[in-house]
Amino acid sequence: MGAWLDANLVGVINGFAIGFLLFIVAVGLSLVFGMMDVLNLAHGAIFLVGAYVGAALIGGDATWGSFLGALGLAAVLGLAGGGLLSAMTEPLRKRSHLDQALLTLGVTLVVAEVLVMVYGDDPLPVGAPPGLDDSVPVLGAAYPTYRLVLIGIGLVLAIAVYFTVERTSLGALVRATVADREMVAALGVDNRLIRVGVFAFGSMLAAVAGVLGGPIYGARPGLDSTVLILALVVVVIGGLGSVRGALLGALVIGQIDSLGRTLFPDGASFILFGALALVLVLRPQGLFGGKVGVRS
């Protein structure tokens, strides 16, 4: 075991870095779908917008000012995009998920095409800020500093999101809205504000994740589809509406994606979707899935 870990240490740490990045993307998707009952296939497009914001403001030669500015602008665009998507899907709230999927898929195609028209088809680099663009020794192996910091950022966000959803009055209000919208409305709370807030929060996380993932993936056409598929797998494995499930699912998929590409490059995709199929067979509601606001 020790010899195997020594040989694959970089791949294991990569799995944690990718996993925490996927968590930042997937937890918003999980909350919007699991709690607000909206299947938002434009979530990957929001991530892509964040990636291109990073490419436009940061580029290959990053500074702390440009990096923080890109994070701030991406957060604002994510909030605005989430609010807009909430308004667009509101008329479809009582209709099937297929209608929601078609609408948000159309938004994805439009956003992706506009980005290609503006930035072209070539991949664009996004640099890590100064001080994080080198490597540090980890158990005798050199590893990029930025990815270690990304693991820390993901861990802090996981704790913050879990505490907000599970341990605060705001989180209790969101859960109460999911459980009984009419009762919450009778208490004088506007359900639409809760819905818009959750949607905007999830989209903001996706856009910020696009900037954070820029030094790893860059910005390129098709990245939205790749990230959306991985995020959907995470949500299904972890369970709808569960922060713990999103975190565990993201870490599992991160390891499968990283080690699978290293050890079984030709079969990585089969392993990924094999894990998804196994969870669906053994526990269809996901590892931490429970009673959430999704129509049967």
Side-chain angles (χ1 to χ4, degrees):
M1 181 64 181
W4 182 91
L5 183 59
D6 290 340
N8 296 281
L9 178 62
V10 172
V12 172
I13 303 177
N14 268 337
F16 281 111
I18 294 171
F20 276 110
L21 181 64
L22 283 177
F23 166 77
I24 300 173
V25 181
V27 69
L29 183 63
S30 179
L31 293 176
V32 169
F33 190 17
M35 291 187 168
M36 296 297 103
D37 198 19
V38 176
L39 179 55
N40 177 25
L41 296 186
H43 207 68
I46 299 293
F47 178 93
L48 188 63
V49 168
Y52 274 102
V53 166
L57 297 186
I58 302 171
D61 297 322
T63 65
W64 275 107
S66 64
F67 192 82
L68 294 177
L71 286 175
L73 179 57
V76 171
L77 292 176
L79 288 171
L84 180 60
L85 284 169
S86 177
M88 293 175 66
T89 57
E90 173 63 25
L92 306 180
R93 186 171 61 84
K94 295 184 179 180
R95 296 171 63 175
S96 70
H97 289 137
L98 178 60
D99 294 331
Q100 300 170 358
L102 290 174
L103 174 62
T104 53
L105 179 61
V107 171
T108 294
L109 296 176
V110 171
V111 170
E113 186 63 27
V114 169
L115 290 173
V116 168
M117 291 172 60
V118 173
Y119 294 102
D121 292 322
D122 296 330
L124 301 178
V126 179
L132 303 182
D133 54 354
D134 54 2
S135 299
V136 294
V138 178
L139 299 179
Y143 192 77
T145 306
Y146 179 80
R147 298 194 181 201
L148 290 176
V149 172
L150 181 60
I151 293 174
I153 293 173
L155 182 59
V156 170
L157 279 176
I159 295 172
V161 172
Y162 176 80
F163 181 81
T164 300
V165 173
E166 300 292 340
R167 304 296 181 185
T168 67
S169 57
L170 178 60
L173 182 60
V174 171
R175 298 196 306 274
T177 302
V178 174
D180 195 334
R181 296 173 186 267
E182 290 74 17
M183 180 61 69
V184 172
L187 296 175
V189 178
D190 190 342
N191 290 331
R192 291 174 297 179
L193 292 179
I194 302 297
R195 186 175 186 273
V196 171
V198 173
F199 223 120
F201 177 71
S203 297
M204 179 195 70
L205 289 179
V208 168
V211 177
L212 293 175
I216 298 176
Y217 295 112
R220 53 180 171 79
L223 182 60
D224 54 328
S225 300
T226 301
V227 170
L228 177 63
I229 291 172
L230 290 175
L232 287 172
V233 172
V234 167
V235 169
V236 172
I237 289 179
L240 294 174
S242 171
V243 178
R244 291 180 300 166
L247 178 59
L248 180 59
L251 294 178
V252 169
I253 295 304
Q255 293 297 333
I256 291 176
D257 183 68
S258 177
L259 293 177
R261 293 179 186 279
T262 301
L263 302 177
F264 309 101
D266 294 332
S269 297
F270 293 100
I271 298 173
L272 177 68
F273 290 105
L276 172 63
L278 182 63
V279 171
L280 286 175
V281 170
L282 298 179
R283 191 173 173 82
Q285 72 271 34
L287 298 177
F288 289 94
K291 293 181 179 180
V292 293
V294 178
R295 292 186 294 271
S296 59

